[in-house]
């Protein structure tokens, strides 16, 4: 059942419902604190705009009560615009508008409650940034704790500006929680030794880990990686085995990328732990008034073990993504992109 809470407000000429729910997915806005809270019965996140800064103020596993990001200054996005680093915490943001809407019912699952989408648009003197959040409702089989995110940057200046170092995931975790975690990552899908192997590292002993899709893994030459998932899969799990819970995250991009799981306190002095991913080898020349849409990423929480996380991800794919809309690939011999790391094609985001 869809529930509408009719408490409209006027935001820069746009009437927006303060709250909406579809199944167990929900999003609501608090105008007194300029915060958005969204989630399901398994996950809840709170986004905050305060003093010109935008942050992920809370990320909670509702099944266990664990709070992952409070007081960690999780800045939610990062990129370099016109040669200057911009993050949620770099500041000078004002709210332009927001919308909360019901997601479309996927072709593969007619009749289900799909969930809700939240869009928050912020004004900066040099650019606009619109952040999109898809909050997926639980299915009859699986409690869903997944939220998909992407954002769009629009150039407000009078000159073409370079847009680089574009983040996909950007998450900062409470230090006291990090000490309990193990990192799980998977070697990529190339036809070399160790393909698809899982590797596990306790974060208590290894605090800085960088995954570069161009680096090559054991058994690979650096010039024999085939696409952005050949060396490493774009999927990572931070598991708390003692607590029986964790976080999983990934992204939808098969061009060159880098992911960092590392202690950021060495550079910022705040004792916060960064988990991030970003595009590599891409500079977007953003013309005045032009927009660039970053690849989408996802984050999820789970109660249980790695199988619980995997079952949730697979049910999300089967329920929401297997809609047979990629007809152009159905009769092709391959969907392999032979130009993914060719410098002449590095600007072709559509290839990735």
């Amino acid at each position: 059942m869809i529930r509408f809470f009719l408490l409209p407000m006027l935001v820069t000429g746009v009437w927006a419902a303060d709250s909406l729910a579809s199944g167990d997915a929900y999003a609501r806005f608090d105008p007194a604190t300029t915060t958005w809270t969204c989630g399901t019965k398994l996950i809840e996140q709170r986004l905050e705009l305060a003093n010109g800064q935008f942050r992920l103020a809370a990320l909670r596993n509702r099944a266990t009560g664990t709070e992952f990001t409070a007081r960690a200054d999780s800045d939610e996005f990062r990129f370099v615009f016109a040669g200057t680093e911009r993050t949620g915490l770099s500041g000078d943001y004002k709210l332009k508008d927001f919308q909360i809407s019901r997601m479309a019912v996927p072709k593969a699952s007619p009749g289900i409650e799909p969930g809700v989408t939240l869009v928050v648009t912020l004004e900066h003197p040099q650019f606009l940034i619109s952040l999109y959040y898809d909050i997926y409702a639980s299915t009859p089989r699986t409690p869903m704790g997944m939220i998909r995110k992407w954002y769009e940057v629009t150039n407000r200046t009078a000159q073409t500006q370079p847009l680089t170092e574009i983040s996909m995931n950007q998450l900062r975790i409470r230090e006291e929680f990090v000490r309990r975690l193990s990192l799980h990552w998977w070697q990529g899908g190339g036809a070399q030794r160790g393909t698809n192997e899982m590797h596990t590292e306790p974060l208590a002993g290894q605090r800085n880990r960088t995954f570069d899709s161009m680096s090559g893994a054991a058994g690979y030459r650096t010039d024999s990686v085939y696409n952005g998932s050949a060396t490493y899969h774009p999927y990572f799990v931070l598991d708390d085995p003692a607590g029986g819970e964790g976080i999983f995250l990934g992204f939808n991009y098969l061009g060159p990328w880098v992911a960092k799981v590392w202690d950021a306190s060495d550079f910022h002095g705040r004792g916060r732990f960064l988990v991030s991913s970003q595009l590599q080898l891409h500079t977007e020349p953003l013309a005045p008034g032009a927009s660039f849409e970053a690849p989408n990423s996802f984050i999820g929480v789970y109660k249980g073990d790695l199988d619980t996380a995997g079952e949730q991800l697979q049910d999300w794919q089967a329920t929401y993504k297997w809609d047979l809309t990629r007809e152009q690939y159905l009769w092709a011999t391959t969907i392999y992109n032979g130009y993914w790391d060719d410098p002449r094609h590095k600007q072709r985001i559509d290839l990735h």
Side-chain angles (χ1 to χ4, degrees), residues 41-230:
K41 62 185 177 184
L42 183 54
I43 188 174
E44 183 170 271
Q45 71 171 18
R46 180 164 54 86
L47 302 158
E48 175 188 80
L49 178 63
N51 301 317
Q53 296 179 319
F54 187 78
R55 75 188 77 212
L56 179 63
L59 176 66
R60 186 163 65 99
N61 186 330
R62 297 184 65 189
T64 64
T66 299
E67 166 55 50
F68 300 110
T69 66
R71 304 179 305 280
D73 280 341
S74 188
D75 36 7
E76 193 61 4
F77 63 86
R78 178 189 180 275
F79 50 82
V80 173
F81 182 88
T84 301
E85 180 188 52
R86 301 297 182 184
T87 72
L89 298 183
S90 63
D92 216 4
Y93 300 108
K94 296 179 180 179
L95 178 62
K96 178 176 173 59
D97 58 48
F98 75 92
Q99 296 87 37
I100 304 173
S101 59
R102 182 176 186 253
M103 292 171 57
V105 177
K107 293 180 181 180
S109 306
I112 71 165
E113 288 295 342
V116 297
T117 296
L118 167 67
V119 185
V120 179
T121 299
L122 307 174
E123 290 183 310
H124 182 275
Q126 292 186 318
F127 55 84
L128 291 177
I129 179 168
S130 295
L131 297 109
Y132 295 77
Y133 300 88
D134 284 339
I135 303 99
Y136 294 93
S138 295
T139 75
R141 299 166 298 278
T142 307
M144 295 301 291
M146 286 187 62
I147 296 176
R148 185 176 67 157
K149 181 189 79 174
W150 70 98
Y151 59 88
E152 185 177 61
V153 181
T154 302
N155 182 5
R156 300 182 72 190
T157 75
Q159 293 83 34
T160 296
Q161 304 289 0
L163 180 68
T164 63
E165 300 185 30
I166 301 160
S167 72
M168 293 176 285
N169 304 102
Q170 182 80 358
L171 176 68
R172 298 185 189 272
I173 302 174
R174 292 190 301 119
E175 176 68 22
E176 56 268 34
F177 183 71
V178 170
R179 288 194 290 265
R180 301 170 4 210
L181 295 177
S182 293
L183 168 67
H184 301 277
W185 57 272
W186 282 259
Q187 191 161 309
Q192 306 292 335
R193 178 168 60 87
T195 295
N196 299 324
E197 282 184 350
M198 183 181 80
H199 297 260
T200 301
E201 303 170 8
L203 292 184
Q206 173 64 38
R207 301 303 303 273
N208 293 287
R209 190 71 161 83
T210 299
F211 300 89
D212 189 333
S213 68
M214 296 286 287
S215 67
Y220 289 66
R221 301 191 316 272
T222 56
D223 61 349
S224 68
V225 290
Y226 307 114
N227 59 50
S229 64

Side-chain angles (χ1 to χ4, degrees), residues 164-336:
T164 63
E165 300 185 30
I166 301 160
S167 72
M168 293 176 285
N169 304 102
Q170 182 80 358
L171 176 68
R172 298 185 189 272
I173 302 174
R174 292 190 301 119
E175 176 68 22
E176 56 268 34
F177 183 71
V178 170
R179 288 194 290 265
R180 301 170 4 210
L181 295 177
S182 293
L183 168 67
H184 301 277
W185 57 272
W186 282 259
Q187 191 161 309
Q192 306 292 335
R193 178 168 60 87
T195 295
N196 299 324
E197 282 184 350
M198 183 181 80
H199 297 260
T200 301
E201 303 170 8
L203 292 184
Q206 173 64 38
R207 301 303 303 273
N208 293 287
R209 190 71 161 83
T210 299
F211 300 89
D212 189 333
S213 68
M214 296 286 287
S215 67
Y220 289 66
R221 301 191 316 272
T222 56
D223 61 349
S224 68
V225 290
Y226 307 114
N227 59 50
S229 64
T231 300
Y232 304 108
H233 285 303
Y235 176 66
F236 302 89
V237 181
L238 300 171
D239 181 57
D240 176 11
E245 66 173 319
I247 304 171
F248 61 92
L249 65 159
F251 45 90
N252 183 23
Y253 185 69
L254 293 181
W257 55 265
V258 66
K260 294 181 178 180
V261 182
W262 58 319
D263 187 348
S265 62
D266 294 343
F267 302 94
H268 300 281
R270 303 188 188 184
R272 54 193 186 176
F273 196 83
L274 174 67
V275 184
S276 70
S277 60
Q278 72 178 38
L279 311 190
Q280 292 291 90
L281 305 181
H282 182 75
T283 299
E284 182 70 19
L286 206 57
S291 300
F292 177 83
E293 183 177 292
N296 63 74
S297 63
F298 63 84
I299 186 170
V301 304
Y302 62 91
K303 179 183 179 182
D305 55 17
L306 287 179
D307 287 342
T308 310
E311 289 163 4
Q312 187 180 152
L313 184 62
Q314 289 180 334
D315 197 11
W316 170 73
Q317 291 174 319
T319 302
Y320 290 100
K321 306 306 294 180
W322 196 256
D323 60 7
L324 302 182
T325 59
R326 303 280 180 166
E327 287 86 356
Q328 66 268 36
Y329 293 130
L330 288 180
W331 312 115
T333 57
T334 179
I335 59 171
Y336 163 66

